[in-house]
């Protein structure tokens, strides 16, 4: 991405498998976790919840005991117009993703939909409003 080339599924799947392992480890330890990543496609969100047959666990072994129960994940879809997000990207200093890749992110995006567990929040709100809305949803739902 730093070179201006969008990632493809083959680039993303090993990273998503690693993130799934982190979430699974936290769940196994009885911990809640917050993970920020751009799980743009439904397939990516499924990998975060369930792993993937091609995923290996942290010891480098494929899981052979049958699939564990899916993780209970709330996906927070931060939704906003491309021009707002572009203006925020222009203000970032030292970030790996260039503004030129923003359109490819929108082209790849498959917004969450039922039966996925998600909420959609407008990026046009302030950060404090966004956080408050997420907290209120979690308190009400979980």
């Amino acid at each position: 991405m730093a070179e201006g080339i969008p990632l493809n599924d083959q680039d993303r799947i090993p990273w998503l498998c690693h993130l799934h392992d982190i979430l699974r480890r936290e769940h196994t330890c009885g911990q809640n976790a917050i993970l920020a990543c751009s799980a743009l496609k439904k397939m990516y969100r499924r990998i975060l919840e369930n792993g993937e047959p091609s995923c290996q666990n942290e010891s480098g072994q494929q899981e052979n005991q049958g699939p564990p129960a899916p993780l209970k994940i709330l996906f927070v879809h931060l939704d906003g117009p491309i021009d707002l997000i572009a203006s925020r990207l222009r203000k970032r200093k030292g970030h790996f993703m260039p503004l030129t890749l923003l359109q490819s992110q929108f082209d790849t995006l498959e917004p969450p939909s039922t039966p996925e567990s998600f909420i959609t929040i407008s990026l046009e709100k302030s950060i404090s409003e966004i956080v408050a809305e997420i907290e209120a949803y979690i308190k009400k739902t979980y």
Side-chain angles (χ1 to χ4, degrees), residues 8-24 35 37 39 41-56 68-71 73 75 116:
N8 60 33
D9 291 350
Q10 290 72 34
D11 298 323
R12 292 175 196 264
I13 288 173
W15 177 242
L16 292 165
C17 289
H18 178 69
L19 296 176
H20 167 78
D21 288 345
I22 292 169
L23 293 171
R24 174 70 61 198
L35 170 72
C37 74
K41 291 183 177 182
K42 185 173 187 171
M43 175 182 79
Y44 302 163
R45 296 185 293 273
R46 281 190 185 150
I47 292 170
L48 290 172
E49 290 176 319
N50 302 302
E52 156 91 359
S54 62
C55 289
Q56 297 179 340
L71 295 169
I73 298 176
F75 293 100
E116 292 177 279

Side-chain angles (χ1 to χ4, degrees), residues 36-139:
C37 74
S38 57
L40 298 171
K41 291 183 177 182
K42 185 173 187 171
M43 175 182 79
Y44 302 163
R45 296 185 293 273
R46 281 190 185 150
I47 292 170
L48 290 172
E49 290 176 319
N50 302 302
E52 156 91 359
S54 62
C55 289
Q56 297 179 340
N57 64 24
E58 290 179 334
S59 66
Q61 305 283 324
Q62 284 190 318
E63 297 288 339
N64 292 325
Q65 301 110 331
L71 295 169
K72 185 176 180 181
I73 298 176
L74 171 67
F75 293 100
V76 178
H77 177 207
L78 298 172
D79 186 41
I82 195 167
D83 57 327
L84 173 64
I85 297 170
S87 73
R88 292 181 181 179
L89 279 175
R90 278 188 211 94
K91 294 175 186 174
R92 285 183 173 177
K93 301 294 179 219
H95 195 270
F96 65 90
M97 190 185 113
L99 180 59
T100 55
L101 289 182
L102 181 57
Q103 185 61 54
S104 73
Q105 299 287 288
F106 272 81
D107 294 343
T108 302
L109 177 63
E110 297 171 2
S113 60
T114 305
E116 292 177 279
S117 175
F118 73 97
I119 59 171
T120 299
I121 300 177
S122 172
L123 283 173
E124 295 178 299
K125 296 180 178 184
S126 70
I127 292 173
S128 60
E129 289 173 311
I130 291 170
V131 170
E133 192 170 330
I134 295 167
E135 287 178 331
Y137 184 88
I138 290 170
K139 286 177 185 174

